[in-house]
Structure formats: structure tokens, C-alpha cells
Amino acid sequence: MSKILVYDLSLAALTEQVVSWGEPAFRAKQIWQGLYRHFYESPEQFSNLPKTLREKMSESLEFGGLEPTLKLDSSDGQTRKMLFRLHDDRQIEAVLMRYDKRRTLCISTQVGCAMGCTFCATGQMGFTRHLSSGEIVAQVLFYARLLAAEGSNVTNVVVMGMGEPFHNYDNTMEAMDRLNDAEGYNFGARRFTISTSGLVPAIRQFASEKRQFNLAVSLHAASNDLRESMMPVNKRYKIEELVQACRDYVAETGRRITFEWALIDGINDSPEVADRLAGLLKGLLCHVNAIPLNPTSGYKGRPTNPQRAQAFKAVLEQAGIPCTIRMRRGIDIQAGCGQLATVASLDVVKN
Ligand code: SAH
Ligand code: SF4
């Protein structure tokens, strides 16, 4: 019998498991707190539990799930990327970015991605499989342990690593809910940001479920022709339909939405494009996060230069749309947005 990954279990499921072993239900909560408050990663660490229970835990439950196989630190001194091996030998990546007081994690939800965005390394590698909720949770716990050892903690989590979180909707939401649980890790819902390439039905579902996680939408183009050439998802959900779903999300939740925009030289960075974008987003409670394109092996486009990026921002701001030009982080270790792909990271080691 293969073991169950302990991070795949909700508190209710863990309680059922513990009761099926003939143990009192309150033991489940003790295990829960050991996992999510003390970050225990093996049954032996649960010294508050009877030995017989710890034995049952080791027989039936898997406490690893992610085996770190490679650690890459950026020359900026602030960015670390880890490569993890999963139980089936597939690999994923998760990144820690240290800002002034913030400790932000960028985590993955799939091995690869099915959406095929041309400029993204994960899209270029294709789709292998969804991550389970526990495999998503385990990425956060890995860094929570690392930071706890230095007296620090995770302050923000962005679901912007490998994969399209809304293509793996249920597991992603379960993972976030588990980390949000007040009796466990108690990570504030508003400290999570989920980014989607624009799966309209999932955006509508997310709006109706009223979770407090922040939502970001990867837009990158303001016309269907251009967006379709960069993001195949636009063939299914056109820009007008996507922006309408975003407007409805804001109306329903009262929450601001973030639009992501990779600035690509000569492609989507002209003042005319910025003007068109401003028209599209007029009156919408939003913010545009623009980031000069990060290089990937399978895409020829070049990043916009800083002057041109500032001009793009100025057009939006004149139209009343707040825009930030984001710093590029961890480019040397291919830990920047859209650079996550296990094949690419192994190349870094070889070089
Ligand atoms: N699949 C989700 C989340 C992961 S990608 C999504 O697409 O939204 C995280 C962000 O990085 C997205 O906004 C994505 O469009 C952007 N991105 C992808 N490739 C990039 C690149 N080469 N340079 C800059 N940003 C990129
Ligand atoms: Fe997938 Fe996002 Fe990359 Fe597009 S940008 S291929 S949706 S990970």
C-alpha cells in the first residue's frame, strides 16, 4: 500500500484517519499543529504523541513529498530557487525572494503548463501533470522551515511559478485553504496572490466563492490578434470576455485586480498599445504590473528598455491607471517570471 502524503489531508480527513486507527480524535489536531505550527517533517519529532501512534503515522503517512535536489542563489543575494523532486521523479521549482521586510515565495501548481504561452519557459516545456494540494502546501512549508531557522517567516505567497493555477483549480484552492487554517499555519488569505492566464469560467467561479486571496490576470496584449499570437488561451476566451469577467469580479468582491504585462521590445510596449490598454481598463479598479520580458531559450523577443518602459507607464498613469514597473529578480539563476522550467535550471548548473 502506498503512503498518503500527510499534506494532502485536510484536518477533517486527518481526523478520520486517526479515528480509524482507534485513536481519539484530538490527536489529529495535535498532528495538525505539529505539521503547521512547528513544521515537523518526520513522525519522530512528534514527542507529544504516544509511540504507538507515531509508528502508525510512519507506516501510513508520507512526510516528505518534495525532495530538494538543487539550490541556486542569485548574485543579487536576495533570491533563492529550489528544485524539488516529487514522488514520481518529476521536478518542480519554487523561489524565495527577499525584499526589505518581505519574504515572498513564488510556488508552482503543475509540472509544466498546458497553456503554451510562447514567451514562457514553463509553457515551452508543455504539460506533464497537476500537483496535488499537498505538493503545493509542501513548497510553502519547506521555505517556512528554512526561514524559521533564521528567526524569520514567509510574508507573501504568489502562485506564479510553474503551471496555470486555475487549470488545477480544486487542488490549488485546497492548498491555500489548508495554509490559511487558523488552527494550523494561519497564513492570511490577503497575503496570497493567484495569477491566471485568463480562464474565464474559473475567474467567475473564484469571484463567486468569495475567498480573500488576491487575483492577478496575465494580459500582455490589448488586442485579440496580438494576444492570440502570444497566448493560445485567447483563442478560447477573447479579451473582451476576459475583461468583462474581471469587471464582474471587482463588482462582486470589491477587490482590486492586478494585470500583468511582460514588456517586449517592439511588440507590446508602444505608447499606442498603452493607450489601447488604458481604454480597455477604463473605470476598472485595477493596477498594472509591467515587467520587462525575462529571457527564455524558446522565444526570440527582447525586453523593453527602461526609458520605453517608463513611457508606457506614463501613458497609463495619465489615463488614471496605476502602473508599476517591476524589478527583474533572479535572472541569472532563471528564477524570474516565466523562466521556471526544470530543464533550464539544470542547464545553469552545467554551465
Ligand atoms: N500561469 C499563470 C501563473 C504563472 S506565470 C499565469 O500565466 O498567470 C507568472 C507570470 O509571469 C505571468 O504573468 C506570466 O505571464 C509571466 N511571464 C511568463 N513568461 C514571462 C517572461 N518570459 N518574462 C516575464 N514575465 C513572464
Ligand atoms: Fe502557463 Fe502562465 Fe507560462 Fe502561460 S505564462 S505558459 S499560463 S505558466
Side-chain angles (χ1 to χ4, degrees):
M1 192 191 80
S2 67
K3 292 184 184 182
I4 302 167
L5 181 61
V6 71
Y7 315 111
D8 272 329
L9 298 174
S10 63
L11 179 55
L14 183 64
T15 306
E16 232 174 77
Q17 178 72 252
V18 162
V19 169
S20 80
W21 292 332
E23 298 278 347
F26 74 87
R27 293 290 185 203
K29 199 167 282 178
Q30 287 180 306
I31 298 174
W32 193 253
Q33 297 192 338
L35 292 172
Y36 293 106
R37 294 215 173 149
H38 306 295
F39 309 138
Y40 295 158
E41 50 185 329
S42 77
E44 299 79 64
Q45 289 177 293
F46 291 79
S47 52
N48 55 335
L49 298 180
K51 190 150 179 283
T52 48
L53 175 54
R54 279 186 273 153
E55 281 165 5
K56 285 181 191 131
M57 286 158 66
S58 351
E59 275 163 30
S60 333
L61 301 175
E62 171 60 52
F63 283 75
L66 291 185
E67 186 198 335
T69 50
L70 186 64
K71 176 178 87 182
L72 291 168
D73 283 319
S74 169
S75 58
D76 66 21
Q78 308 294 312
T79 309
R80 169 172 294 185
K81 177 163 92 167
M82 296 295 309
L83 184 62
F84 298 104
R85 183 182 298 136
L86 307 170
H87 68 86
D88 58 356
D89 283 344
R90 307 291 184 193
Q91 307 213 74
I92 53 158
E93 302 180 342
V95 180
L96 164 65
M97 290 160 286
R98 299 165 192 264
Y99 298 91
D100 196 16
K101 289 208 177 70
R102 277 183 295 152
R103 303 281 178 267
T104 301
L105 301 186
C106 177
I107 61 169
S108 295
T109 54
Q110 297 177 321
V111 180
C113 183
M115 311 312 290
C117 303
T118 54
F119 50 89
C120 169
T122 311
Q124 290 157 16
M125 71 185 271
F127 176 73
T128 304
R129 72 164 171 90
H130 293 308
L131 297 187
S132 72
S133 62
E135 289 170 328
I136 300 170
V137 163
Q139 296 169 58
V140 176
L141 291 180
F142 173 87
Y143 281 110
R145 260 177 224 124
L146 183 136
L147 289 168
E150 39 182 87
S152 178
N153 56 278
V154 180
T155 63
N156 300 82
V157 172
V158 298
V159 187
M160 297 189 185
M162 296 167 70
E164 165 52 53
F166 279 0
H167 180 210
N168 187 15
Y169 190 89
D170 293 345
N171 291 349
T172 301
M173 292 303 150
E174 270 177 39
M176 306 298 115
D177 289 344
R178 200 159 299 144
L179 291 163
N180 177 230
D181 184 279
E183 301 199 67
Y185 190 49
N186 197 20
F187 194 80
R190 288 162 195 233
R191 292 166 177 270
F192 282 111
T193 300
I194 298 181
S195 175
T196 179
S197 58
L199 297 178
V200 168
I203 293 173
R204 294 199 173 281
Q205 182 180 349
F206 182 67
S208 73
E209 289 172 353
K210 302 241 162 26
R211 285 184 175 86
Q212 303 286 306
F213 312 140
N214 299 300
L215 181 63
V217 172
S218 302
L219 203 52
H220 306 306
S223 65
N224 284 313
D225 283 353
L226 179 58
R227 195 164 189 271
E228 237 163 79
S229 71
M230 300 164 67
M231 305 179 72
V233 65
N234 199 80
K235 293 189 183 122
R236 211 163 2 138
Y237 306 111
K238 303 286 175 218
I239 291 187
E240 296 74 25
E241 202 187 335
L242 173 58
V243 172
Q244 190 54 50
C246 295
R247 286 187 190 277
D248 295 345
Y249 164 86
V250 170
E252 205 160 328
T253 62
R255 302 183 63 77
R256 188 177 75 157
I257 199 162
T258 298
F259 290 102
E260 287 159 290
W261 195 279
L263 286 162
I264 311 171
D265 189 38
I267 303 285
N268 65 353
D269 63 346
S270 67
E272 293 73 41
V273 172
D275 199 49
R276 194 181 171 110
L277 174 61
L280 199 62
L281 304 183
K282 194 161 186 268
L284 179 52
L285 180 62
C286 69
H287 180 267
V288 173
N289 248 336
I291 179 167
L293 181 80
N294 290 319
T296 57
S297 62
Y299 183 70
K300 285 195 173 58
R302 311 227 14 101
T304 297
N305 69 37
Q307 293 81 348
R308 220 168 139 84
Q310 287 306 324
F312 188 88
K313 172 183 156 97
V315 172
L316 289 178
E317 292 197 326
Q318 259 159 32
I321 296 166
C323 172
T324 315
I325 308 291
R326 277 197 289 158
M327 272 188 298
R328 298 167 70 194
R329 295 287 296 259
I331 305 302
D332 55 336
I333 55 167
Q334 307 200 2
C337 296
Q339 291 187 305
L340 301 190
T342 50
V343 181
S345 60
L346 289 170
D347 284 348
V348 171
V349 173
K350 276 190 253 148
N351 290 339

